[in-house]
């Protein structure tokens, strides 16, 4: 996994003549690529790369160029020759071996074992349509000196990030907003629209918190031409198709697709592991990985679990968590014969200001998830000394119907995003996740209700459907699509940022587009054939896991239940409120905020969902301190 960045300008512009921005942009991505870095530039374009070496450690250096005759140059190109294409690539293409064989048959010659070179030659053969041949997670840029065009591309689900900004002289791009902001032509301006995106749990594809920065939507390419024009092209979308398989065939196909996905994602020249919560999703990945490695003579699967000091001994069930993760994860690790690692975090780890600043910097913008984000970051950092690659169970809930709000009819059938309906149902988030301390005047200006209504209408208009579906099947299809396009991207972005800050590559087998496309069309009555969430997935892996894990209800990522964590948060928040220069104060209802830090208020808000209001206020304050006067309201 890597970091990519660069810029291109109109003919005669200053695009490639100033090296300073390249150094600063590369520095922001050092954690994404600690193994190597490189810059390629001519008078019209600059491509930057930082490398985390995972496949072909010596042969995959970037930016990678192809000479005029199509041969690959690893490292510096031949003096005086103009390349036919220059590539800066981030990701893993899991079918690169098959593509390499196909391209070899078409006359291409390869000098490395890397998937990077396969992507480069795929572009030479198929141009911008090369993305339709790639299977995996990727974001890349290709500069074509012959056509004087820049191509940006992103995988089908947006697993790998890619941002861009139009400037007076051209177009700037990078793996993270901070990378673009290191270029002098891009400013960190946040207006009301940006704050709506910031506080939203359902931002639209392409939206960004920063006014001048866009998020390249998943499944899209962008072409920047010599005249300065920009063209977006959607190359992939989910399709609605009749599902003709019976239950037994459907279970078998899900198993085969998942086995194939996990097996392909185990390919690496470095150690890898599975992040194991003890839930159905990650346990399925761990069990299938263990089988695949055993079949190929690859040794034991490595697994890792995060827990909190004293968490299992003092656990109290809440609205969505009925039991701690660690005992289930241990049971799975023992069952599959894994080399298991437990990462135990203390309250001091969660409240550590260095870690909290690292989380904010990694994500570029505030988030209300507090200790969930900090513990995720700490878990990734804890795994990194043992491996460079980690597989997760992310996105199984989206395609197999795992979330609680899907199974509550009063929420699922509301004319809005179902998870937003869930927010408004729970007392701790009725004002919106992390919005409970905002002032009434500021909330009126944000008008999140109108924002959500507009985004929901746009999202519903883009859903592929089948004629003749009954109301339940139609709504289940809609909710699946909403999850994949407006909920999952945030989770994928979070995982990417919080892992890459430690130089760890995270892979998501459930995001294999073949599996997602198949699952999208499975009828809801079949997905829940035994009356439970994720019935189909449970049936597909029933022979792989302990019974207690198969029967375990869905549980989200753990949160700290230590009251000293809440107390430390409130002490920090009290300091912010006492400082008249704190930039977050004009956005808050100060009476509510002062009540929260009072002894009575602290007792009322120990619930983790209530706690998110304080988490978000602290994050926004730290973000505004770090970015100076970025708000233009």
């Amino acid at each position: 996994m890597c970091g990519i960045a660069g810029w291109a300008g109109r003919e005669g512009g200053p695009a490639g003549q100033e090296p300073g921005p390249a150094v600063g942009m590369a520095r922001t991505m050092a954690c994404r690529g600690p193994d190597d870095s490189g810059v390629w530039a001519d008078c019209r374009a600059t491509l930057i790369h930082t490398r985390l070496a995972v496949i072909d450690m010596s042969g995959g250096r970037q930016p990678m160029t192809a000479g005029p005759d199509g041969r690959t140059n690893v490292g510096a190109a031949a003096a005086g020759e103009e390349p036919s294409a220059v590539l800066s690539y981030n990701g893993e293409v899991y079918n690169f071996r098959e593509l390499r064989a196909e391209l070899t048959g078409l006359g291409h010659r390869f000098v490395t074992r890397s998937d990077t070179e396969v992507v480069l030659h795929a572009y030479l053969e198929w141009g911008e349509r090369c993305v339709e041949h790639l299977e995996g997670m990727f974001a890349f840029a290709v500069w074509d000196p012959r056509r004087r065009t820049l191509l940006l591309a992103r995988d089908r689900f947006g697993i790998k990030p890619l941002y861009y900004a139009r400037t007076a002289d051209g177009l700037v791009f990078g793996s993270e907003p901070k990378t673009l902001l290191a270029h002098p032509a891009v400013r960190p301006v946040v207006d009301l629209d940006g704050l709506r995106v910031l506080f939203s749990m359902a931002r639209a594809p392409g939206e960004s918190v920063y006014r001048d920065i866009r998020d390249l939507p998943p499944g899209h390419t962008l072409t920047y031409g010599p005249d300065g024009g920009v063209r977006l092209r959607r190359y992939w979308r989910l399709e609605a198709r009749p599902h003709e398989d019976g239950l037994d065939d459907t279970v078998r196909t899900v198993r085969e697709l998942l086995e194939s996905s996990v097996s392909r994602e185990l390919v690496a020249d470095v150690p890898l592991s599975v992040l194991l919560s003890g839930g159905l999703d990650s346990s399925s990945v761990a069990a299938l990985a263990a089988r695949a490695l055993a079949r190929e003579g690859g040794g034991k699967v490595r697994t890792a679990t995060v827990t909190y000091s004293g968490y299992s001994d003092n656990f109290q069930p809440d609205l969505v968590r009925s039991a701690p993760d660690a005992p289930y994860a241990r049971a799975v690790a023992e069952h599959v014969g894994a080399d298991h690692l437990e990462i135990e975090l203390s309250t001091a780890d969660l409240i550590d200001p260095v870690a909290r600043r690292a989380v904010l910097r990694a994500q570029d913008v505030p988030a209300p998830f507090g200790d969930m984000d900090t513990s995720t970051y700490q878990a990734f950092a804890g795994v990194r000394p043992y491996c460079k690659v980690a597989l997760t169970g992310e996105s199984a809930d989206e395609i197999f119907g795992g979330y609680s709000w899907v199974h509550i009819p009063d929420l699922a059938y509301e004319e809005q995003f179902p998870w937003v309906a869930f927010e408004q149902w729970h007392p701790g988030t009725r004002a919106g996740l992390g919005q409970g301390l905002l002032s009434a005047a500021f909330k009126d200006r944000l008008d999140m209700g109108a924002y959500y209504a507009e985004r929901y209408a746009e999202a519903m208009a883009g859903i592929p459907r089948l004629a003749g579906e009954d109301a339940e099947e139609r709504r289940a299809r809609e909710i699946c699509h909403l999850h994949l396009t407006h909920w999952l991207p945030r989770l994928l972005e979070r995982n990417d940022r919080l892992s890459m800050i430690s130089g760890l590559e995270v892979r998501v087998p459930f995001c294999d587009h073949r599996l997602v496309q198949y699952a999208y069309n499975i009828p809801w009555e079949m997905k829940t054939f035994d009356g439970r969430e994720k019935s189909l997935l449970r049936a597909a892996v029933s022979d792989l896991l302990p019974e207690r894990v198969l029967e375990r209800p869905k549980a989200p990522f753990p949160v700290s239940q230590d009251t000293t964590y809440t107390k430390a948060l409130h002490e920090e928040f009290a300091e912010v409120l006492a400082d008249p220069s704190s930039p977050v104060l004009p956005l808050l209802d100060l009476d509510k905020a002062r009540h929260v830090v009072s002894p009575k208020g602290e007792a009322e808000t120990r619930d983790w969902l209530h706690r998110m209001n304080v988490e978000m206020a602290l994050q926004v304050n730290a973000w505004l301190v770090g970015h100076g006067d970025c708000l233009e309201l």
Side-chain angles (χ1 to χ4, degrees):
M1 207 50 56
C2 308
I4 68 171
W7 63 90
R10 299 184 184 91
E11 186 171 357
Q17 297 174 4
E18 174 54 57
V23 175
M25 294 172 79
R27 188 178 297 120
T28 68
M29 305 188 299
C31 61
R32 298 187 71 91
D35 296 329
D36 195 14
S37 63
V39 177
W40 181 94
D42 69 6
C43 64
R44 298 182 183 87
T46 296
L47 269 63
I48 307 160
H49 191 264
T50 61
R51 187 185 185 204
L52 180 70
V54 171
I55 293 176
D56 193 359
M57 311 299 282
S58 61
R61 298 192 66 189
Q62 299 186 52
M64 185 176 283
T65 65
D69 58 356
R71 74 181 188 279
T72 304
N73 296 308
V74 178
E81 83 173 14
E82 183 177 66
S84 56
V86 186
L87 171 69
S88 185
Y89 157 71
N90 170 28
E92 303 291 347
V93 171
Y94 301 124
N95 65 330
F96 78 98
R97 290 170 173 166
E98 297 91 329
L99 285 176
R100 179 189 174 110
E102 181 180 356
L103 289 164
T104 298
L106 292 170
H108 294 260
R109 296 294 175 263
F110 293 86
V111 299
T112 77
R113 295 184 297 106
S114 69
D115 58 335
T116 302
E117 188 179 14
V118 171
V119 174
L120 177 63
H121 283 263
Y123 173 79
L124 293 175
E125 180 65 34
W126 297 301
E128 70 172 291
R129 302 195 76 91
C130 67
V131 289
E132 297 163 29
H133 298 258
L134 308 180
E135 297 177 3
M137 55 181 188
F138 55 82
F140 64 82
V142 178
W143 172 247
D144 190 325
R146 301 166 301 181
R147 298 180 176 86
R148 298 175 183 174
T149 61
L150 176 72
L151 174 70
L152 303 182
R154 196 173 181 201
D155 65 67
R156 293 164 179 82
F157 296 105
I159 305 169
K160 291 292 101 185
L162 187 53
Y163 295 84
Y164 68 95
R166 299 294 304 274
T167 68
D169 294 319
L171 183 141
V172 180
F173 66 91
S175 292
E176 301 179 7
K178 68 174 68 67
T179 304
L180 277 72
L181 294 174
H183 192 285
V186 185
R187 295 178 55 234
V189 177
V190 181
D191 55 20
L192 270 176
D193 285 337
L195 289 176
R196 292 181 184 107
V197 175
L198 174 66
F199 286 103
S200 167
M201 290 295 120
R203 73 172 187 247
E207 285 190 316
S208 165
V209 170
Y210 295 100
R211 184 190 65 190
D212 300 324
I213 295 175
R214 299 290 294 172
D215 183 22
L216 183 62
H220 279 71
T221 60
L222 178 152
T223 303
Y224 176 83
D227 60 351
V230 167
R231 178 173 61 88
L232 277 174
R233 182 178 78 90
R234 184 169 190 166
Y235 69 86
W236 187 84
R237 69 176 72 227
L238 284 167
E239 297 178 1
R241 304 168 184 166
H243 186 79
E244 299 176 349
D245 293 343
L247 178 60
D248 290 345
D249 286 341
T250 300
V251 170
R252 183 167 51 254
T253 300
V254 167
R255 171 66 170 266
E256 290 170 353
L257 288 170
L258 189 53
E259 281 181 335
S260 171
S261 178
V262 171
S263 180
R264 294 203 302 178
E265 298 195 20
L266 292 173
V267 175
D269 294 335
V270 296
L272 54 79
S273 68
V274 177
L275 300 181
L276 178 62
S277 70
L280 179 64
D281 311 339
S282 62
S283 298
S284 301
V285 173
L288 289 169
R291 281 200 168 192
L293 289 172
R295 187 169 56 246
E296 297 163 9
K300 289 184 176 183
V301 65
R302 294 181 177 89
T303 55
T305 299
V306 64
T307 187
Y308 304 129
S309 301
Y311 188 71
S312 294
D313 296 335
N314 303 300
F315 180 81
Q316 294 294 320
D318 62 21
L319 182 67
V320 292
R321 298 173 183 85
S322 60
D325 286 348
Y328 290 93
R330 287 187 210 114
V332 173
E334 182 178 353
H335 188 77
V336 304
D339 183 0
H340 189 55
L341 171 70
E342 281 195 5
I343 300 167
E344 184 175 286
L345 303 177
S346 67
T347 298
D349 293 323
L350 299 177
I351 204 67
D352 176 20
V354 174
R356 289 165 63 83
R357 284 195 298 270
V359 167
L360 178 57
R361 174 159 177 76
Q363 299 192 99
D364 281 300
V365 295
F369 302 110
D371 60 316
M372 284 192 286
D373 282 349
T374 306
S375 60
T376 300
Y377 156 68
Q378 300 273 29
F380 288 148
V383 168
R384 181 60 181 86
Y386 305 95
C387 64
K388 266 189 174 183
V389 177
L391 277 63
T392 76
E394 201 75 82
S395 86
D397 287 315
E398 286 75 11
I399 61 176
F400 291 111
Y403 291 113
S404 58
W405 49 72
V406 178
H407 302 273
I408 304 174
D410 289 347
L411 301 180
Y413 282 88
E414 283 196 23
E415 287 296 315
Q416 62 177 318
F417 298 104
W419 56 93
V420 176
F422 181 82
E423 285 178 16
Q424 296 170 356
W425 169 73
H426 190 278
T429 56
R430 198 157 284 158
L433 205 63
Q435 300 174 46
L437 297 178
L438 300 180
S439 72
F442 180 53
K443 288 179 70 175
D444 285 345
R445 294 188 69 191
L446 283 178
D447 195 2
M448 293 302 296
Y451 172 87
Y452 275 134
E454 183 177 338
R455 294 298 170 269
Y456 181 73
E458 292 171 354
M460 292 290 286
I463 296 175
R465 301 177 176 87
L466 279 180
E469 289 183 316
D470 63 28
E472 182 181 47
E473 289 296 338
R474 180 182 178 87
R475 186 55 178 165
R477 182 184 295 278
E478 291 170 350
I479 289 175
C480 181
H481 198 276
L482 293 173
H483 274 132
L484 290 168
T485 56
H486 287 71
W487 176 260
L488 180 62
R490 183 173 189 132
L491 303 184
L492 295 174
E493 179 180 54
R494 172 179 180 264
N495 277 355
D496 174 84
R497 301 298 189 79
L498 296 180
S499 60
M500 289 308 299
I501 193 173
S502 298
L504 178 73
E505 174 183 304
V506 170
R507 298 179 179 178
V508 279
F510 282 102
C511 275
D512 185 302
H513 75 280
R514 302 167 304 165
L515 174 61
V516 177
Q517 176 61 74
Y518 184 76
Y520 180 64
N521 289 299
I522 298 172
W524 182 245
E525 64 177 4
M526 194 176 287
K527 287 183 180 179
T528 57
F529 69 87
D530 65 0
R532 298 182 58 187
E533 88 283 354
K534 293 189 284 193
S535 308
L536 200 59
L537 177 59
R538 191 175 291 106
V541 297
S542 60
D543 61 319
L544 298 177
L545 300 172
E547 188 68 20
R548 63 184 297 205
V549 174
L550 286 169
E551 296 303 315
R552 185 187 183 193
K554 157 72 180 173
F557 198 83
V559 294
S560 174
Q561 296 184 340
D562 186 350
T563 57
T564 60
Y565 176 78
T566 305
K567 184 175 179 61
L569 274 186
H570 286 191
E571 289 173 353
E572 183 181 349
F573 192 36
E575 293 177 4
V576 169
L577 294 176
D579 182 354
S581 67
S582 297
V584 76
L585 297 185
L587 309 181
L588 300 180
D589 181 325
L590 295 180
D591 289 337
K592 281 186 180 179
R594 293 186 182 110
H595 174 72
V596 163
V597 300
S598 70
K600 182 179 179 181
E602 182 182 326
E604 292 172 353
T605 58
R606 282 178 180 164
D607 173 83
W608 64 285
L609 286 170
H610 283 99
R611 196 167 72 200
M612 287 184 176
N613 296 319
V614 177
E615 301 270 22
M616 190 64 165
L618 288 171
Q619 286 248 321
V620 170
N621 191 71
W623 176 60
L624 292 175
V625 168
H627 280 78
D629 189 19
C630 68
L631 294 183
E632 290 190 3
L633 306 182

